[in-house]
Amino acid sequence: MEPKNTTFPSTYTASDWEDRLYTLWEKSGFFNPDECIKAGITKVDAEPFSIVLPPPNVTGTLHAGHASMLAIEDILIRFKRMSGYRTLWLPGTDHAAIATQSKVEKLLAGEGKTRADLGREAFLKRVEQFAQESHDTIIHQTKKMGSSLDWSREAYTLDEKRTLAVRTAFKKMYDDGIIYRGNRIVNWDPVGQTTISDDEIVYQEETAKLYYLKYGPFEIATARPETKFGDKYVVMHPEDERYQQYAHGDTLTVEWINGPIEATIIKDEMIDREFGTGVMTITPWHSHVDFDLAQKYHLDMEQIIDQSGHLLPIAGEFAGKPISEAREHIIAKLAGKGLVTKIDESYVHQIATAERSGATVEPQIMRQWFINVTKEFPRDGKTVTLKSLMQDAVRQEKIHLLPERFNKTYFNWIDNLRDWCISRQIWFGHQIPVWYRGEEVFCGIEAPEGTGWTQDPDTLDTWFSSGLWTFSTLGWPKTTDDFQTYHPTTVLETGYDILFFWVARMILMSEYFLADIPFKTVYLHGLVRDEQGRKMSKSLGNIIDPLDVIADYGADALRLSLVIGSTPGNDLKLSTEKITSYRNFVNKLWNMGRYVSLSFDAGNVTPKAKNVSDHWILTRLAEVTAEVTAHLDHYNISLASETLRDFTWNEFADWYIEIHKIEKNDAVLAHVFMTLLKLWHPFMPFVTEALFQTFAPNEKNPLMITAWPKADTLATKDDAEQFKLVIKLIQEIRAIRSIYQIEPAKKIAVTVTAGANEITLTQNNGAIFQHLARLSEIHVIATAADTPQNSIIVQAGLLRAYIELADVVDFEKEKKRLLKEKQDKERYITTLETKLQNKNFIERAKPEIIAAEKTKLEEAHKHLSDIDHHLTSLS
């Protein structure tokens, strides 16, 4: 029989549909919540649901992590749009100052040029051209993922509106004394010649030498002797019994690299008594920890290394040398004085390197711009700080982190938060809105009037502008309709790796400027790794490019691969095999649609249950709809998709479609399938829209704005429960066929005994039994008196079936096979039990290994029980 819709393609080819459907969605205007209201799709007073897209850096292309982010957010947005919310997903990109400038400088280097050769103005034009090209690539990739973003509201961290927001924010913080310019220790990149943030540091493990040096009566250990020229403070724990004879503030003269120096004893609890000898000297100018200690006790600070990584005159004859070159010469000099006690050549430690330049980061005390996170100011009748506002937002549960275990990580970072260095010595970015004329200093949104003013040459840390993202994108500093409607945003979905660098700073900015939170929930997704759990990298050759995957498998398959099995805070393994399996699932859904089209009648989709099988599928559909809705409401995206997948593949495809071939309730079949398209749409927007358009080619509105299904049963639950007995009995018969290796083509006879109600149930569903259990005949009797000999008994509730195997199975042969299988299983169980009773194994094995062994044991016992059951039946 041909489909009633003769235009239904025989196969689904993603590339034939995806671009066409995305264009249809864009032209409809329904990515924009205002257009949904105008069309009457969304009520004016509907509850808002808003997400601002974490802005990708305009430095190249999107990777698998971005694809994961886009898939998760689009699922939430499409679900809420269909559920009637006033839904806004606001797109944008980040200028990513250091990363973008670094990319362009590398391109210039290939031409034999530097930024200085071009000059600031020409260089910035070159960077802006690169950023625009990268932006266009990113937008193209984002659309290929099916992302239903409101492009009419697209923002850029360096556009005019965001520039106004940045300057307004800077000026207010400056006027309030929160932003200040001062000398503090910062991360300095000696190659890039700029300060960098903590997230722009890559720690690389290195095996190096640890030098033990004699420092007067003490022994100290260091991996960096080149920083020790100015060390005149020796620090130890106040409770360290080895050094009780020394008091805090005592002084002593010690022989050192360039002659005798006067050293001062400092007693402080921060010293680790277990490391080395429990004594250390400090270098306040070149260590964050030492700087804090020097500030605490008002100690002198002296620079040893200049900003290009060379030693200063304090190093004596080593002045001007690169630190890596000078190190061994310094040790040789110390050894000549008898001050080297030993050298450990297997010391493993982490070296801080600049992500962009690869240089070893050299902490330096420099005059920079900072945000003071501990300055007190009044708020709602009490005194607060930026740090306390950031703590209270999460502690008072105004903001919920998913998963909750990241609360501990968040507080650990906030509790130890230092003043934030916001200035960078690069040209690309928001130039600091401060001007100088002689001793005069002017901070303003616009340049000061008059002549002779020079603007501060530094630019702002990118995180400053992106910290304003949730409200600068909605029109702040103006009080716009968007701002009043959609802020605080509903959820921020981003990677757990930028919890501190971005999420916390958005909380800081929003709390300070708005006295409000930026978002209510933070969904932290994990990293996307390869099938072996390795981070994707060019060096490993294991990068999975989203565009390549979409070209080969389609966007829907990629989306499912990125969300099924993915839970907040946990990394996800992605492989070609996984993507292939979900491409197959997409095709499975299309083939279901082809079958439904054979009997589809647009005028007959109101379901009316005629048989218990109809009651069952309609009841299960209502249950699944409720479960999926609840999971999505609670951001359990993987559970929602798994629930839907299992129902679609197992219950609908494997059971109801097969039942429909017998009972032919076309309206129920069509209703269930069309409901499934709606439920699946947030996860697989392309194939579901393609099916919807194919079934309803004249439909004015796309599937993406149809109403989310309600969990209406439309059926009787008691009848649904009755049909579960039919399914259970068929499954038991199928299991027997599998155990005794009965060929699919071979039909068998079954006799069923049951009570009066069950007899009626069996008789009414006889055709289903015969078709799905592959029976030659089914006899129904009231008592067990006439049950056949040489049969296997299976049961479902009060239904008992006697499977006649006399002419099908060699009983003696089966007994021997099962007895051997039982002996093998008993030996396997003994091995597992012995292993789990082994004390050494229990103490040394990882918990997950032990749990896996226990699971194996449980499964083996169950299998043994099944074997015993079948042996009993054969007897």
Side-chain angles (χ1 to χ4, degrees):
M1 185 168 82
E2 288 298 314
K4 289 186 178 179
N5 184 352
T6 57
T7 62
F8 206 114
S10 59
T11 58
Y12 176 71
T13 304
S15 58
D16 292 344
W17 288 93
E18 291 181 349
D19 290 345
R20 177 155 52 102
L21 289 176
Y22 198 88
T23 300
L24 179 149
W25 292 331
E26 273 198 285
K27 285 184 177 178
S28 76
F30 295 137
F31 290 169
N32 185 332
D34 302 336
E35 295 302 317
C36 291
I37 290 171
K38 286 179 188 176
I41 295 158
T42 305
K43 294 179 181 178
V44 178
D45 59 351
E47 183 180 345
F49 182 91
S50 57
I51 299 176
V52 289
L53 177 74
N57 296 343
V58 286
T59 52
T61 58
L62 300 182
H63 51 65
H66 290 117
S68 172
M69 170 189 77
L70 292 170
I72 292 168
E73 292 177 29
D74 195 43
I75 288 167
L76 295 174
I77 287 294
R78 288 180 183 269
F79 163 61
K80 289 297 184 179
R81 187 186 290 123
M82 294 173 74
S83 298
Y85 286 75
R86 188 170 180 169
T87 307
L88 173 63
W89 189 16
L90 200 153
T93 49
D94 195 320
H95 66 283
I98 288 181
T100 306
Q101 175 161 320
S102 175
K103 288 265 189 180
V104 176
E105 288 194 274
K106 286 178 181 177
L107 292 174
L108 285 175
E111 301 169 11
K113 298 177 183 177
T114 67
R115 58 173 163 158
D117 294 330
L118 273 67
R120 187 164 189 151
E121 186 175 342
F123 176 75
L124 288 179
K125 285 184 179 178
R126 183 75 179 265
V127 178
E128 286 159 7
Q129 178 186 351
F130 172 85
Q132 183 61 50
E133 291 169 357
S134 178
H135 161 273
D136 295 346
T137 300
I138 287 169
I139 299 307
H140 169 70
Q141 292 173 311
T142 302
K143 290 181 177 182
K144 292 293 284 184
M145 282 293 297
S147 309
S148 57
L149 287 147
D150 180 3
W151 297 108
S152 70
R153 287 173 163 90
E154 184 185 351
Y156 175 48
T157 53
L158 205 56
D159 62 22
E160 288 185 12
K161 291 180 179 179
R162 264 44 67 180
T163 296
L164 173 63
V166 165
R167 291 193 166 195
T168 302
F170 188 99
K171 178 170 171 52
K172 175 170 174 50
M173 283 185 147
Y174 178 87
D175 292 344
D176 291 349
I178 297 295
I179 284 180
Y180 67 94
R181 195 180 186 206
N183 291 297
R184 290 185 62 84
I185 196 159
V186 295
N187 300 316
W188 179 255
D189 176 355
V191 172
Q193 287 290 290
T194 180
T195 59
I196 61 175
S197 61
D198 289 342
D199 73 301
E200 289 157 336
I201 291 176
V202 176
Y203 287 94
Q204 297 182 354
E205 189 174 280
E206 177 185 84
T207 300
K209 294 178 181 179
L210 184 64
Y211 304 96
Y212 289 81
L213 308 176
K214 184 175 174 57
Y215 189 84
F218 308 107
E219 183 181 63
I220 64 168
T222 181
R224 303 193 66 199
E226 65 274 7
T227 66
K228 296 297 178 184
F229 289 95
D231 286 9
K232 57 183 180 181
Y233 300 102
V234 59
V235 192
M236 58 204 70
H237 197 282
E239 296 176 5
D240 195 326
E241 295 180 357
R242 293 169 292 181
Y243 307 111
Q244 287 301 311
Q245 68 268 39
Y246 301 103
H248 180 84
D250 284 354
T251 60
L252 65 159
T253 301
V254 302
E255 180 62 30
W256 200 224
I257 308 172
N258 288 331
I261 62 170
E262 185 178 79
T264 302
I265 304 291
I266 302 294
K267 295 286 188 89
D268 193 271
E269 290 84 358
M270 59 83 68
I271 294 297
D272 180 0
R273 284 176 279 182
E274 303 303 318
F275 178 76
T277 61
V279 174
M280 60 177 271
T281 57
I282 61 170
T283 310
W285 201 284
H286 301 290
S287 163
H288 289 279
V289 174
D290 295 0
F291 176 80
D292 290 344
L293 201 61
Q295 279 204 316
K296 181 177 180 179
Y297 294 109
H298 307 290
L299 308 179
D300 295 337
M301 305 185 203
E302 190 166 7
Q303 188 175 5
I304 312 299
I305 303 165
D306 70 14
Q307 292 174 15
S308 62
H310 293 75
L311 290 166
L312 290 167
I314 188 175
E317 72 263 37
F318 305 108
K321 288 185 179 294
I323 54 178
S324 57
E325 180 184 320
R327 182 175 298 171
E328 289 303 322
H329 295 292
I330 296 167
I331 287 297
K333 183 174 182 180
L334 284 164
K337 291 186 169 194
L339 299 180
V340 179
T341 58
K342 67 176 178 177
I343 301 175
D344 178 358
E345 298 195 7
S346 59
Y347 176 57
V348 179
H349 65 151
Q350 299 287 327
I351 296 292
T353 63
E355 181 181 15
R356 304 301 168 187
S357 71
T360 299
V361 173
E362 291 292 346
Q364 294 276 10
I365 296 175
M366 299 179 68
R367 186 168 173 77
Q368 298 289 320
W369 289 96
F370 295 89
I371 288 180
N372 191 331
V373 297
T374 56
K375 180 180 173 61
E376 294 182 340
F377 57 92
R379 172 69 62 85
D380 297 332
K382 60 182 180 180
T383 300
V384 298
T385 65
L386 290 178
K387 184 186 283 193
S388 70
L389 289 175
M390 296 165 79
Q391 291 164 330
D392 290 346
V394 176
R395 185 173 288 123
Q396 294 175 6
E397 297 185 345
K398 292 188 285 183
I399 296 174
H400 295 274
L401 303 184
L402 294 178
E404 289 187 1
R405 71 173 186 272
F406 279 96
N407 284 1
K408 182 179 179 181
T409 311
Y410 177 85
F411 286 120
N412 183 58
W413 189 75
I414 300 298
D415 294 346
N416 294 286
L417 191 61
R418 306 172 190 273
D419 285 1
W420 173 14
C421 176
I422 57 172
S423 47
R424 300 288 180 265
Q425 290 65 54
I426 59 175
W427 290 350
F428 184 56
H430 291 279
Q431 195 167 348
I432 288 175
V434 173
W435 288 260
Y436 309 100
R437 185 170 65 181
E439 297 298 315
E440 292 181 85
V441 179
F442 175 83
C443 176
I445 296 171
E446 301 293 340
E449 295 180 355
T451 60
W453 291 98
T454 302
Q455 188 172 0
D456 194 305
D458 287 355
T459 52
L460 285 166
D461 177 11
T462 299
W463 296 116
F464 188 95
S465 53
S466 57
L468 308 172
W469 192 241
T470 62
F471 50 98
S472 69
T473 52
L474 295 172
W476 187 90
K478 296 179 181 178
T479 306
T480 63
D481 289 341
D482 273 2
F483 177 76
Q484 291 180 313
T485 301
Y486 298 110
H487 204 275
T489 57
T490 312
V491 60
L492 175 76
E493 191 283 331
T494 190
Y496 65 69
D497 52 332
I498 56 172
L499 172 62
F500 321 129
F501 309 120
W502 187 43
V503 177
R505 283 174 175 143
M506 282 194 285
I507 296 172
L508 180 156
M509 293 296 203
S510 187
E511 284 284 0
Y512 184 72
F513 292 110
L514 310 177
D516 201 357
I517 55 174
F519 28 68
K520 300 167 188 174
T521 299
V522 180
Y523 182 111
L524 297 166
H525 69 248
L527 301 176
V528 180
R529 299 182 179 274
D530 71 7
E531 58 190 322
Q532 297 178 41
R534 301 174 302 177
K535 197 169 183 178
M536 294 186 186
S537 69
K538 289 181 181 178
S539 60
L540 290 174
N542 63 347
I543 290 176
I544 295 178
D545 187 313
L547 279 189
D548 291 343
V549 173
I550 290 170
D552 292 339
Y553 301 92
D556 291 329
L558 175 59
R559 288 167 64 114
L560 287 182
S561 301
L562 290 167
V563 298
I564 296 182
S566 173
T567 53
N570 294 316
D571 294 347
L572 173 76
K573 292 181 182 179
L574 185 64
S575 65
T576 302
E577 289 74 17
K578 185 177 183 183
I579 298 166
T580 301
S581 72
Y582 286 112
R583 190 266 313 274
N584 295 341
F585 182 76
V586 171
N587 292 338
K588 175 87 169 177
L589 187 68
W590 185 264
N591 289 333
M592 291 180 212
R594 274 190 57 75
Y595 175 78
V596 174
S597 74
L598 296 173
S599 57
F600 183 77
D601 181 353
N604 182 31
V605 293
T606 303
K608 183 177 181 181
K610 299 176 181 178
N611 305 298
V612 287
S613 60
D614 299 332
H615 286 280
W616 167 73
I617 196 66
L618 291 171
T619 300
R620 285 296 298 131
L621 180 66
E623 292 170 348
V624 166
T625 300
E627 288 174 30
V628 170
T629 304
H631 284 319
L632 289 176
D633 278 334
H634 292 90
Y635 305 109
N636 296 320
I637 295 171
S638 181
L639 286 177
S641 53
E642 289 167 35
T643 299
L644 201 47
R645 176 198 60 196
D646 293 346
F647 173 76
T648 304
W649 194 298
N650 300 332
E651 293 166 279
F652 181 64
D654 288 353
W655 286 96
Y656 192 74
I657 284 180
E658 292 302 313
I659 291 165
H660 175 268
K661 292 174 182 177
I662 300 166
E663 297 186 336
K664 304 292 185 185
N665 193 332
D666 297 343
V668 170
L669 179 75
H671 170 75
V672 175
F673 186 72
M674 298 306 285
T675 303
L676 280 174
L677 292 186
K678 295 173 187 177
L679 293 172
W680 269 121
H681 181 72
F683 304 91
M684 298 189 290
F686 289 112
V687 69
T688 52
E689 188 74 72
L691 283 162
F692 184 76
Q693 297 294 325
T694 304
F695 273 96
N698 299 318
E699 177 63 39
K700 179 182 177 182
N701 290 326
L703 174 63
M704 76 169 194
I705 55 163
T706 58
W708 185 254
K710 289 183 168 57
D712 297 330
T713 58
L714 304 172
T716 304
K717 197 160 187 177
D718 287 344
D719 287 336
E721 290 298 317
Q722 283 287 298
F723 191 71
K724 287 181 182 179
L725 292 176
V726 176
I727 292 174
K728 176 65 174 171
L729 194 60
I730 291 171
Q731 288 173 330
E732 293 291 338
I733 296 169
R734 285 175 170 177
I736 294 299
R737 294 187 67 105
S738 174
I739 288 167
Y740 295 108
Q741 301 173 359
I742 301 171
E743 294 178 4
K746 181 72 174 176
K747 294 189 176 182
I748 55 178
V750 167
T751 298
V752 176
T753 64
N757 291 335
E758 287 76 22
I759 287 176
T760 302
L761 176 69
T762 306
Q763 290 171 335
N764 290 344
N765 291 278
I768 291 174
F769 275 115
Q770 287 187 271
H771 176 62
L772 296 182
R774 301 199 61 77
L775 305 181
S776 58
E777 52 189 329
I778 180 168
H779 305 289
V780 183
I781 57 178
T783 66
D786 301 320
T787 55
Q789 298 296 312
N790 296 324
S791 60
I792 298 293
I793 305 169
V794 294
Q795 191 157 349
L798 295 178
L799 285 174
R800 174 174 287 191
Y802 295 81
I803 305 170
E804 301 171 35
L805 299 178
D807 299 326
V808 181
V809 173
D810 184 331
F811 277 49
E812 290 304 315
K813 183 178 178 181
E814 279 303 309
K815 283 181 185 178
K816 289 178 182 178
R817 183 181 70 81
L818 288 170
L819 283 170
K820 184 179 183 307
E821 191 174 339
K822 178 179 180 178
Q823 290 170 353
D824 292 342
K825 192 61 63 178
E826 286 173 339
R827 280 195 294 268
Y828 179 59
I829 288 171
T830 301
T831 301
L832 289 173
E833 287 176 338
T834 302
K835 192 174 188 180
L836 288 167
Q837 290 167 5
N838 187 316
K839 187 178 179 181
N840 289 335
F841 171 74
I842 296 298
E843 290 176 350
R844 295 176 183 177
K846 293 180 179 179
E848 57 267 28
I849 299 297
I850 297 172
E853 294 300 304
K854 288 181 178 179
T855 300
K856 290 178 187 176
L857 183 60
E858 290 174 9
E859 291 172 350
H861 275 298
K862 183 180 182 305
H863 192 184
L864 182 63
S865 176
D866 290 340
I867 293 170
D868 284 335
H869 169 72
H870 293 303
L871 279 170
T872 301
S873 297
L874 287 173
S875 300

